[in-house]
């Protein structure tokens, strides 16, 4: 039951609603991070969103409550992503159907874009909650792009049609914005609280970067993507010393240099030819 309907003081009812929603949102983010279905279904959980009235008795300032409401909106969008693009039923229907995947993704991207354009968050905002909301925004965007690029891995074709070109463009834009966000993180943010899913969210940026590298349509594009990988690796190596939350992403990118890109992915000939020795891995060098 919704605690608002209980015979308890209003402050206690709103407090219970906030606690209930926090449980729901953590389940959502962890499901996305761990690649599993959410444990809590919306059909069997009444408090799946927050409103202005739920801030009654919270004893937090207006800006912090605004950030919390905005985060709740992102949770709703991520739930759509998990249900409509990454559930088992969605995978069986969409994994090789880019046109249908694009149709669903564009609707969710529109919702995500509205969130980004109507919030008061900026990358220069020092508030910890605002930084986490921006990370959540980029992570949600990456999850949508993963679904779009998934069709490239399942269709078995080397040609790129208009739909896939749009998907690659969207993923490239997503990656550029996410890397810009990482590079603008202030190093004094090391003292702030990071949620449990944050390291995986940062490492997903690296995964998208490598995904776009192995999808390069030409040697020139592959070389540009490789330079992005090098620059990102160097940036993470420096910034992770003060931001431990970035270390999983650094570990993932370092593993590629150690193992060798050609030992991890099945590469097209033009990508393999464009690889520099450092991407061949320490094992091959030995």
């Amino acid at each position: 039951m919704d605690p608002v309907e209980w015979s308890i003081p209003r402050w206690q009812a709103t407090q219970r609603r906030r606690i209930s929603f926090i449980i729901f949102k953590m389940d959502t983010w962890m499901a996305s991070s761990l690649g599993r279905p959410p444990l809590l279904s919306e059909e069997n959980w009444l408090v799946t969103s927050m409103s202005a009235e739920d801030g009654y008795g919270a004893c937090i300032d207006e800006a912090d409550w605004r950030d919390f409401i905005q985060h709740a909106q992102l949770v709703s969008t991520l739930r759509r992503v998990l249900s409509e693009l990454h559930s088992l039923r969605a995978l069986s229907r969409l994994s090789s159907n880019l046109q249908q995947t694009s149709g669903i993704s564009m609707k969710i991207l529109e919702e995500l874009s509205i969130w980004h354009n109507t919030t008061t968050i900026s990358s220069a905002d020092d508030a910890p909650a605002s930084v986490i909301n921006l990370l959540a925004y980029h992570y949600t965007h990456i999850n949508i792009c993963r679904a779009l690029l998934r069709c490239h891995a399942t269709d078995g074709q080397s040609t790129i049609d208009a739909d896939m070109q749009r998907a690659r463009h969207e993923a490239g834009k997503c990656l550029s914005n996410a890397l810009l966000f990482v590079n603008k993180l202030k190093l004094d943010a090391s003292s702030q609280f990071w949620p449990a899913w944050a390291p995986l969210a940062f490492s997903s940026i690296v995964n998208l970067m490598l995904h776009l590298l192995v999808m390069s349509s030409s040697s020139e594009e592959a070389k540009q993507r490789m330079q992005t990988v090098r620059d990102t690796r160097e940036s993470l190596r420096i910034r992770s010393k003060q931001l431990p939350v970035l270390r999983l992403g650094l570990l993932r990118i370092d593993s590629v240099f150690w193992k060798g890109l050609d030992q991890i992915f099945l590469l097209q000939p033009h990508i393999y030819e464009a690889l520099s020795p450092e991407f061949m891995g320490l094992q091959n060098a030995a």
Side-chain angles (χ1 to χ4, degrees):
M1 294 178 63
D2 190 330
V4 170
E5 302 174 0
W6 298 357
S7 298
I8 56 177
R10 182 186 174 191
W11 70 267
Q12 196 174 66
T14 55
Q15 182 185 62
R16 288 172 181 265
R17 279 183 56 84
R18 291 192 298 272
I19 293 173
S20 182
F21 174 74
I22 288 172
I23 295 172
F24 178 79
K25 86 176 184 72
M26 283 304 303
D27 176 61
T28 303
W29 290 112
M30 293 308 296
S32 177
S33 301
L34 300 177
R36 61 162 174 77
L39 299 177
L40 304 177
S41 67
E42 293 185 76
E43 291 77 12
N44 296 304
W45 200 264
L46 292 183
V47 185
T48 59
S49 62
M50 288 277 98
S51 65
E53 290 74 18
D54 291 315
Y56 180 81
C59 298
I60 59 177
D61 60 38
E62 183 179 349
D64 287 338
W65 182 248
R66 177 206 66 199
D67 288 336
F68 189 75
I69 291 292
Q70 291 171 354
H71 189 84
Q73 294 167 349
L74 279 176
V75 171
S76 177
T77 302
L78 181 60
R79 274 277 169 165
R80 282 193 64 189
V81 173
L82 296 179
S83 174
E84 299 179 27
L85 293 174
H86 292 289
S87 66
L88 186 59
R89 189 180 300 276
L91 281 171
S92 65
R93 187 178 71 255
L94 302 175
S95 60
S96 58
N97 191 329
L98 178 56
Q99 187 174 13
Q100 192 173 0
T101 302
S102 297
I104 297 173
S105 298
M106 290 305 112
K107 293 179 181 178
I108 303 178
L109 280 171
E110 183 178 356
E111 178 181 314
L112 189 63
S113 178
I114 291 173
W115 179 92
H116 190 257
N117 293 334
T118 56
T119 58
T120 56
I121 296 177
S122 69
S123 57
D125 200 327
D126 293 330
S130 295
V131 175
I132 292 173
N133 279 355
L134 276 174
L135 175 61
Y137 162 77
H138 291 297
Y139 189 33
T140 303
H141 196 177
I142 288 172
N143 274 288
I144 297 172
C145 292
R146 282 177 51 216
L148 288 170
L149 299 179
R150 179 174 61 205
C151 299
H152 180 272
T154 57
D155 62 10
Q157 299 178 4
S158 58
T159 57
I160 300 177
D161 58 16
D163 286 334
M164 180 51 67
Q165 191 63 41
R166 284 193 293 270
R168 285 160 51 88
H169 175 75
E170 183 65 36
K173 182 175 66 174
C174 172
L175 176 62
S176 297
N177 291 335
L179 290 176
L180 182 62
F181 164 71
V182 172
N183 290 330
K184 286 189 174 182
L185 278 177
K186 296 186 177 180
L187 297 181
D188 57 8
S190 59
S191 60
Q192 81 169 54
F193 168 79
W194 291 97
W197 51 267
L200 290 162
F202 280 113
S203 67
S204 70
I205 300 174
V206 172
N207 287 347
L208 179 61
M209 179 172 55
L210 294 174
H211 197 159
L212 288 173
L213 169 58
V214 300
M215 286 180 60
S216 299
S217 58
S218 65
S219 296
E220 291 73 19
E221 181 184 353
K223 291 177 181 178
Q224 292 176 358
R225 297 292 184 192
M226 288 177 195
Q227 187 58 50
T228 300
V229 172
R230 293 189 193 95
D231 294 343
T232 302
R233 185 192 190 196
E234 185 63 27
S235 175
L236 290 179
R237 181 166 290 176
I238 295 172
R239 301 177 71 79
S240 64
K241 293 178 180 179
Q242 292 184 269
L243 291 171
V245 72
L246 299 176
R247 289 176 184 171
L248 179 59
L250 177 62
L251 177 63
R252 288 192 171 182
I253 201 170
D254 276 344
S255 67
V256 172
F257 282 83
W258 180 82
K259 183 70 175 178
L261 193 69
D262 58 321
Q263 299 297 312
I264 302 174
F265 299 101
L266 180 62
L267 303 177
Q268 296 290 334
H270 65 272
I271 301 176
Y272 191 87
E273 293 172 1
L275 287 178
S276 57
E278 61 184 320
F279 279 87
M280 303 302 287
L282 296 177
Q283 290 185 339
N284 292 340

